[in-house]
Amino acid sequence: MPRPFPHRHLLGIDPLSAEDILFLLDEAEPWIDFGRQARKEDRRLAGLTQFNLFFENSTRTLFSFEVAGKRLGAQVANFHPGGSSVRKGESLIDTALTLNAMRPDVMVVRHNESGAPQQVAEVAGCPVVNGGDGTNEHPTQALLDALTMRRRKGRIEGLTVAICGDIRHSRVAGSNRKLLPKLGAEVRLVGPPALLPDDAGGAATFTDLDEGIKDADVVMMLRIQRERMEESVSGTLADFHARYGLTYARLDRAAPDALVMHPGPMNRGVEIEGALADDPDRSAILDQVENGVAVRMAVLDVLTRARRE
């Protein structure tokens, strides 16, 4: 029998032990080869209903959760607030209660308010997955990032990972800087002073990109989130690229085989040079996308096992 997972929901990284994280990564591994088959059909979630409650726009996260659920045989329904009673003033909790009354078997929640998935989990009768909440966390992104590092570098323990850019507003950084140290990696946070967090959680911080990525094994660039923090960046985007944009020349300061990552969407020519982002020998950006489907299949499978049994 598969190992039981000791958590009902996946809302953040803090509750997960290193064993829990490695278990999810191991569960995701077979789904990568599965996704490369011509026919991608598994029926273990047949008869189960998955609701994707996305209160924010999304390409990678929404589409990969939908693909993941359908490949596992689930009935997948996507909720978009623009065509719902949210436009009429319905609260998040009332929306959650309404949808919960339809008896879904798993919900994925993405919201612009930190803590929203936790609020849904408190009233839901099924497992809830955090698909990204405000500036808080994005746990499945951190899991897929860890899986990508392990597959491309052969390990996570002992790696030095420089997370660069808008740390303060990034839920991706929020989850990665919690997850990676649990697996033995050293995390550095690199960015302009206004975009670094007030509490680095023990990670080393750098305001100079060249210094921050020196000898790093992985350089993870983050999108400049203009919708969240335009007032925090002084000067033009060209100025930002000159100081904090990753280029081939800058990457020479990292380890010789340093891996480049980015959760997407990218601002090409701002936080990263386009040619570098597209270089399959140095960039794992498309690997992250592929591995994201596998991780989300594993999460959906693991969290619904108790219901299926």
Side-chain angles (χ1 to χ4, degrees):
M1 291 292 294
R3 169 188 180 273
F5 191 63
H7 308 281
R8 185 184 184 207
H9 308 293
L10 179 60
L11 301 175
I13 299 302
D14 281 335
L16 303 183
S17 66
E19 183 183 26
D20 294 333
I21 295 166
L22 291 172
F23 169 69
L24 290 173
L25 299 188
D26 290 343
E27 288 287 311
E29 285 280 1
W31 295 121
I32 296 174
D33 288 336
F34 174 89
R36 296 173 179 177
Q37 298 174 177
R39 296 183 63 85
K40 306 171 182 65
E41 184 179 25
D42 185 282
R43 303 295 295 167
R44 69 187 62 196
L45 266 61
L48 272 62
T49 304
Q50 172 187 333
F51 285 178
N52 295 329
L53 284 61
F54 275 58
F55 293 82
E56 281 189 320
N57 293 333
S58 171
T59 298
R60 292 154 191 79
T61 305
L62 173 58
F63 208 71
S64 63
F65 266 115
E66 181 175 2
V67 168
K70 288 180 175 178
R71 287 182 180 176
L72 291 169
Q75 301 163 358
V76 182
N78 294 328
F79 169 88
H80 299 287
S84 75
S85 291
V86 170
R87 294 288 296 271
K88 302 175 184 178
E90 185 171 70
S91 70
L92 171 64
I93 294 303
D94 282 331
T95 298
L97 287 168
T98 298
L99 296 175
N100 185 64
M102 300 178 191
R103 306 293 181 182
D105 298 288
V106 62
M107 293 188 192
V108 183
V109 181
R110 185 181 184 94
H111 203 283
N112 58 7
E113 292 184 11
S114 298
Q118 289 83 348
Q119 294 179 50
V120 173
E122 290 171 5
V123 301
C126 65
V128 174
V129 182
N130 181 356
D133 63 324
T135 60
N136 183 35
E137 284 214 48
H138 196 347
T140 58
Q141 180 69 46
L143 288 165
L144 73 88
D145 289 341
L147 182 62
T148 302
M149 292 179 204
R150 191 172 76 170
R151 289 177 63 85
R152 288 288 295 259
K153 304 294 289 182
R155 61 189 172 94
I156 296 175
E157 186 174 5
L159 293 180
T160 298
V161 182
I163 305 176
C164 310
D166 179 14
I167 311 295
R168 178 180 291 273
H169 301 91
S170 173
R171 53 197 172 203
V172 174
S175 287
N176 267 302
R177 63 192 179 109
K178 293 178 179 180
L179 184 149
L180 292 171
K182 291 189 178 192
L183 300 184
E186 174 196 341
V187 173
R188 301 175 185 171
L189 306 178
V190 187
L195 299 183
L196 290 174
D198 295 327
D199 179 7
T205 60
F206 299 82
T207 57
D208 182 278
L209 183 69
D210 295 338
E211 180 183 358
I213 68 173
K214 187 176 186 299
D215 299 324
D217 300 294
V218 179
V219 180
M220 182 183 298
M221 305 306 295
L222 301 174
R223 178 174 66 93
I224 287 298
Q225 301 188 42
R226 304 180 220 191
E227 72 274 19
R228 298 189 201 276
M229 40 57 70
E230 218 164 67
E231 70 280 0
S232 300
V233 178
S234 59
T236 66
L237 293 178
D239 293 335
F240 182 89
H241 180 71
R243 294 189 62 193
Y244 292 101
L246 186 65
T247 63
Y248 276 107
R250 276 217 163 99
L251 191 60
D252 284 342
R253 295 169 173 82
D257 60 346
L259 189 65
V260 174
M261 300 177 67
H262 194 304
M266 292 180 287
N267 294 302
R268 291 174 179 265
V270 180
E271 68 261 10
I272 190 169
E273 185 176 53
L276 178 56
D278 296 333
D279 185 340
D281 295 326
R282 304 307 302 271
S283 170
I285 293 171
L286 294 182
D287 290 350
Q288 290 172 266
V289 176
E290 179 182 24
N291 296 341
V293 177
V295 161
R296 286 155 184 152
M297 290 179 74
V299 167
L300 293 171
D301 174 23
V302 166
L303 290 183
T304 58
R305 281 178 184 170
R307 301 176 75 81
R308 284 146 42 204
E309 292 167 1

